[in-house]
Amino acid sequence: GEFKDIEINTGDEIEELADVFNDMMHKKQEYLEGQERFVSDVSHELRTPLAVLDGHINLLLRWGKDDPKQLTESLEASRQEIKKMSNMIQDMLDIARLKHTDRSELEYISVACSMSDLVTNFRIVHPTFDIELENKLISPGKALIHKNHYDQAMTILLDNAVKYSGKIGNYIKVTLSEDDDMIITKVLDHGLGICKEDQAYIFERFFRADKARNREIGGTGLGLAIIKNIAQIYKGSISVESQVGKGAVFTFKIPKNKEKI
Ligand code: ADP
């Protein structure tokens, strides 16, 4: 880097400072490249629903006035595409906002309290699902994370557990536990599962496993990317274990101690 070329004979501090500067420049560069990739991914992903929308508008122009069936069909389909785009934009805004997370006002939250509220709501919204909550925490289970981020991550996991249960299962189990450093939340389902090859990619934005299957199941491919971002902010982790046809278990970990962040 350019800073390395500066003659330094005033001691280690300046050399250290130069290193910090170089590091900052690299981070900035990486960030800009990341932004560029993000914008290009997004435009690509929005193009498909826009093309479908355009197709339906053409159908409407040609047949809509005389064919009431075509009219209803194309309007319904258009509305779906608009919903898709609006979900995508919402998810992308969420990802963008995560980058500006303020950690200065962080407080410990009780994951047991948060999860218990989420599960209560979940039962109301999905009465046909059997959801179990097991609390194996031995401490008060305090984790250093913004409550809305924990709730958002867990809502995505629970929604996915429902969506990808397909017709196979209706059982979901949430387990809270801990090790020395981490508060651990596991969300298990008995649904469609994810094949080994895809497991490595599902946390990348816009990746959706099994195209054929997913055509019927709505989604943006951004949910798990949002969780990955949240995990990164708090120096936590997200991982998956799964077998096709047997279901999936997602494990979300966040540090217990402030010093670890
Ligand atoms: P979306 O659900 O909007 O497609 P996500 O980022 O939340 O996006 O998930 C990415 C992909 O991972 C999904 O398209 C799906 O193929 C797979 N997936 C996520 N959760 C589950 C689950 N509980 N069971 C099976 N597959 C899942």
Side-chain angles (χ1 to χ4, degrees), residues 137-253:
L137 291 165
I138 42 174
S139 75
K142 298 282 188 179
L144 197 62
I145 181 170
H146 283 297
K147 180 173 158 48
N148 56 340
H149 286 162
Y150 181 76
D151 288 355
Q152 184 179 23
M154 292 308 113
T155 303
I156 291 166
L157 289 185
L158 291 171
D159 283 348
N160 279 352
V162 171
K163 272 183 0 191
Y164 302 104
S165 274
K167 292 186 177 72
I168 298 181
N170 70 339
Y171 176 73
I172 294 171
K173 183 173 179 181
V174 178
T175 313
L176 303 174
S177 64
E178 63 193 291
D179 60 21
D180 288 346
D181 305 313
M182 299 289 198
I183 300 285
I184 304 163
T185 311
K186 282 181 189 280
V187 177
L188 167 149
D189 66 64
H190 283 173
L192 304 166
I194 308 150
C195 68
K196 275 270 169 304
E197 299 77 59
D198 286 344
Q199 285 175 24
Y201 301 105
I202 55 171
F203 300 100
E204 313 253 311
R205 60 182 178 235
F206 299 119
F207 182 87
R208 306 196 68 212
D210 201 332
K211 288 255 179 330
R213 166 182 107 187
N214 275 357
R215 217 162 288 139
E216 288 135 54
I217 306 175
T220 58
L222 287 169
L224 292 176
I226 291 175
I227 302 183
K228 192 171 121 187
N229 275 277
I230 293 176
Q232 268 165 4
I233 291 173
Y234 298 103
K235 304 254 193 299
S237 66
I238 175 77
S239 60
V240 68
E241 288 161 81
S242 178
Q243 240 179 304
V244 173
K246 293 258 169 71
V249 189
F250 284 85
T251 303
F252 181 72
K253 298 186 183 185

Side-chain angles (χ1 to χ4, degrees), residues 17-28:
L17 199 61
D19 281 345
V20 171
F21 269 128
N22 274 327
D23 198 43
M24 272 166 57
M25 296 300 280
H26 283 142
K27 288 234 169 69
K28 178 95 185 155

Side-chain angles (χ1 to χ4, degrees), residues 16 28 35 39-40 52 70 115 123 162 168 189 200 205 221 260:
E16 217 179 296
K28 178 95 185 155
Q35 290 286 90
V39 170
S40 112
V52 177
Q70 183 67 63
M115 194 41 102
R123 289 192 175 119
V162 171
I168 298 181
D189 66 64
R205 60 182 178 235
K260 293 270 151 61

